[in-house]
Amino acid sequence: MRWISTAAIIAMAATVLSGCETTSPQVAALQDNNTCRMYGIAPGTQLFITCMMQQSGQREQRRVAQNQAIAAAFVGAAVIGVAAAAASSGPYYRPYYRCGYYRCWY
C-alpha cells in the first residue's frame, strides 16, 4: 500500500509543476494585440481597446479556472493519500490459538 502514497505524492508534485508555466505581461499584451489585429480591428480605436480588455479578461478567467483545477487536484490527492495511509495502517487481525495436548483451538 505504500506505493499508493508514493503515487499520490508524485501526482501532487506534477500538478504543482504544471501550474508554474506563466506568461509575462509583455508577451500576454503582444498576444492580445495580435489576436485583435487578426480580427481586423484597427489599433488606436475604441473597438481595439475593448478587444484588448476582453482578451485580458478571458486570460484571467482561464488562469482562475486553472488555479481551481490545481486546488481540486491537491484536495483529491490528499484524500486519496489519507485513505491509502489509513488502509495500510489498519489493525491486522491474527487469531489467537491455544493448544492443548491433543489439538489447537481458538
Side-chain angles (χ1 to χ4, degrees):
M1 288 303 202
R2 185 167 295 275
W3 65 272
I4 293 176
S5 298
T6 305
I9 291 170
I10 291 172
M12 286 192 306
T15 305
V16 168
L17 293 177
S18 69
C20 293
E21 186 176 330
T22 59
T23 56
S24 67
Q26 293 84 9
V27 172
L30 184 62
Q31 289 173 347
D32 293 347
N33 191 346
N34 290 337
T35 301
C36 292
R37 283 178 184 250
M38 184 181 69
Y39 291 151
I41 302 171
T45 62
Q46 185 64 34
L47 191 58
F48 188 80
I49 295 169
T50 304
C51 177
M52 292 284 285
M53 290 174 59
Q54 286 176 349
Q55 295 299 319
S56 176
Q58 289 173 358
R59 184 176 49 258
E60 181 67 21
Q61 287 176 349
R62 286 191 301 268
R63 188 184 64 78
V64 168
Q66 182 182 16
N67 288 345
Q68 288 175 346
I70 289 171
F74 271 126
V75 170
V79 167
I80 290 172
V82 168
S88 66
S89 65
Y92 177 73
Y93 177 72
R94 181 180 301 161
Y96 177 72
Y97 291 103
R98 286 181 275 175
C99 295
Y101 186 72
Y102 296 106
R103 66 180 178 152
C104 294
W105 66 91
Y106 292 106

